[in-house]
Amino acid sequence: MTRYNAGMMNKIAALLILAVCFVATAATAAFETRATAAWILDETTGTVLLSKNADKPLPPASMSKLMTLNMLFEALHDGRVTLDTRFSVSAKAQAMGGSRMFLTTKDRPTVEDLIKGIIVQSGNDACVVVAEGMAGSEEGFAKLMNERGRAIGLRNSTFANASGWPHPNHRMSMEDLGLLARRLIEEFPEYYGYFAMPSYDFDGRVPANHRNRNPLLTLGIGADGLKTGHTSEAGYGLVGSAVQDNRRIIFVITGLDSEKARAEEAEAVVNWAFRQFVQKTVAEKGTRLASVPVWMGSERQVGMVVPEDLELLVPAVVRGEIEAEITYETPLRAPIAEGQQIGTLVVSLPDLETQELPLTAENAVAKGGFMPHVRTAAYVLFQKLSGSAAGF
């Protein structure tokens, strides 16, 4: 018999049900990227497929323009600006070097013009126009970027300007860039289509950089955004995303030595992510995975269920067991509301980061009388899954 003490964490191993053996001769190989830093996410399941130096703050070059766009998209959502709002062009903006829209102080571009110019032409001048139009100065805008970055969970990013122009205090981690890309896709779907525009020139001007530099958009592999970057300090990088068979991946690579290397590496990332992993439904919404004791409740036990269909991303070829365990705080005290999170399913998969998924109460349990003891047993976990395990 095990005695339950307040604050004790009881951990139950879920054996045999997720222990599914695949007939194979080799496990999925980890992706060996040439990038100095990289981060790859299966956005559909939230599974990180690869993380290489991903939390290290690095020069992001023009990839950090995604944060400028985030600030602008938020202003559109809030109603502070509209797509037809016009901004003036300062002498500072006109004088910006590097990639440009070739704006002049005589122009008054709309917000929509500037979005297209930033995404397709990587316009440094457009970024300054946005910064000055939103905050009065680029310096003030950078402060707002830092405040907002912290608020949305960018833990390893600091911004010194709106364009990604080289600066010792302008840094982003590849994980932060990937999380920012995910935010743009999920929170602003009405503007995400701009990232797939093949070309754009403002007011009939056709500069050399009027075509979208994302090398994946024309390959027919489901790519639909987001942003390239390059400086001599950062090397060649790309924040990209692609969709195949209702799965979306988001990835960030940086530190490549040429445009060609960036294009090759980006395509290799997409091919690897979609071909080496498959999405499986392990349990349907409401499936009971375990029953756990309740202290001082009208019922002695409550079922733990999955609140939504349980989707897992697994290597397409794997050898051995998929380990899972349920964790919950004991004693689990009444009252308990139906649908209340009462535990976590922790799944360990080969070559992937551990996944943690919530488990909720199957039904409500009201307060009851004192229970003289709590009896423990070896729970048979995932009973309802055993019949489907063979097809997992």
Side-chain angles (χ1 to χ4, degrees):
M1 179 181 296
T2 300
R3 186 178 301 276
Y4 291 93
N5 298 314
M8 174 184 174
M9 172 69 81
N10 185 43
K11 188 174 287 187
I12 303 175
L15 301 177
L16 299 180
I17 304 303
L18 289 186
V20 182
C21 294
F22 290 74
V23 179
T25 57
T28 299
F31 184 71
E32 297 292 338
T33 180
R34 291 179 287 172
T36 57
W39 191 75
I40 307 173
L41 174 76
D42 181 86
E43 189 268 346
T44 308
T45 61
T47 307
V48 176
L49 305 182
L50 182 142
S51 180
K52 177 182 178 181
N53 297 324
D55 60 352
K56 183 178 180 180
L58 296 169
S62 288
M63 294 187 292
S64 69
K65 288 182 170 77
L66 294 181
M67 188 60 185
T68 298
L69 289 165
N70 177 79
M71 302 291 283
L72 192 52
F73 292 169
E74 288 183 351
L76 285 163
H77 257 205
D78 296 344
R80 286 175 282 148
V81 298
T82 70
L83 290 174
D84 295 325
T85 299
R86 292 186 179 274
F87 288 154
S88 60
V89 179
S90 69
K92 176 184 177 180
Q94 178 178 310
M96 285 298 294
S99 301
R100 291 173 287 163
M101 283 179 69
F102 292 92
L103 298 170
T104 74
T105 55
K106 296 180 181 180
D107 294 319
R108 289 187 63 82
T110 66
V111 164
E112 186 172 27
D113 292 331
L114 294 165
I115 291 171
K116 294 175 181 178
I118 292 172
I119 291 174
V120 179
Q121 296 176 302
S122 199
N124 294 324
D125 49 358
C127 290
V128 174
V129 170
V130 169
E132 293 176 341
M134 296 283 293
S137 69
E138 189 172 15
E139 294 74 19
F141 188 72
K143 291 180 181 178
L144 294 177
M145 292 171 74
N146 283 311
E147 292 173 4
R148 192 63 187 138
R150 289 189 291 270
I152 63 176
L154 305 186
R155 298 179 299 170
N156 297 294
S157 297
T158 55
F159 303 97
N161 56 61
S163 65
W165 195 262
H167 189 286
N169 295 329
H170 196 85
R171 295 289 185 268
M172 293 189 76
S173 70
M174 299 307 101
E175 180 182 29
D176 280 358
L177 276 165
L179 293 174
L180 181 58
R182 187 181 194 183
R183 173 178 172 79
L184 295 179
I185 293 167
E186 294 182 351
E187 297 296 325
F188 309 108
E190 66 269 45
Y191 308 125
Y192 184 64
Y194 290 116
F195 285 98
M197 288 184 64
S199 63
Y200 175 68
D201 57 89
F202 173 68
D203 196 27
R205 303 164 199 177
V206 187
N209 64 322
H210 78 290
R211 294 194 176 279
N212 197 317
R213 298 180 185 183
N214 187 331
L216 302 183
L217 293 178
T218 60
L219 298 184
I221 57 175
D224 56 10
L226 297 158
K227 190 74 188 72
T228 60
H230 169 251
T231 63
S232 57
E233 181 184 23
Y236 289 84
L238 172 65
V239 183
S241 186
V243 178
Q244 293 183 21
D245 298 326
N246 297 316
R247 274 184 59 206
R248 177 180 289 279
I249 64 160
I250 296 169
F251 67 93
V252 190
I253 53 176
T254 193
L256 282 305
D257 59 10
S258 67
E259 280 190 69
K260 181 175 183 292
R262 176 174 64 190
E264 292 173 346
E265 196 70 5
E267 185 176 5
V269 164
V270 172
N271 289 335
W272 174 78
F274 284 125
R275 294 174 183 172
Q276 293 301 316
F277 297 91
V278 293
Q279 186 174 330
K280 295 290 184 180
T281 301
V282 178
E284 295 181 354
K285 178 180 178 179
T287 300
R288 180 191 292 185
L289 302 188
S291 294
V292 294
V294 178
W295 180 255
M296 298 292 287
S298 59
E299 300 180 35
R300 289 177 175 267
Q301 294 185 337
V302 66
M304 282 185 170
V305 300
V306 292
E308 302 293 340
D309 288 353
L310 181 54
E311 303 278 350
L312 289 179
L313 194 74
V314 298
V317 180
V318 67
R319 180 176 54 199
E321 296 180 346
I322 295 176
E323 298 178 358
E325 60 188 15
I326 290 173
T327 64
Y328 63 97
E329 294 283 352
T330 59
L332 187 59
R333 297 179 181 274
I336 298 170
E338 182 180 350
Q340 174 184 332
Q341 182 174 347
I342 56 174
T344 303
L345 177 67
V346 183
V347 183
S348 301
L349 294 163
D351 300 318
L352 296 176
E353 292 187 356
T354 298
Q355 301 178 58
E356 296 187 0
L357 306 158
L359 297 175
T360 58
E362 185 174 23
N363 54 270
V365 179
K367 281 188 176 181
F370 177 74
M371 293 167 54
H373 66 275
V374 177
R375 185 168 54 86
T376 64
Y379 297 106
V380 180
L381 303 177
F382 298 95
Q383 278 185 314
K384 295 185 178 181
L385 294 179
S386 59
S388 62
F392 176 66

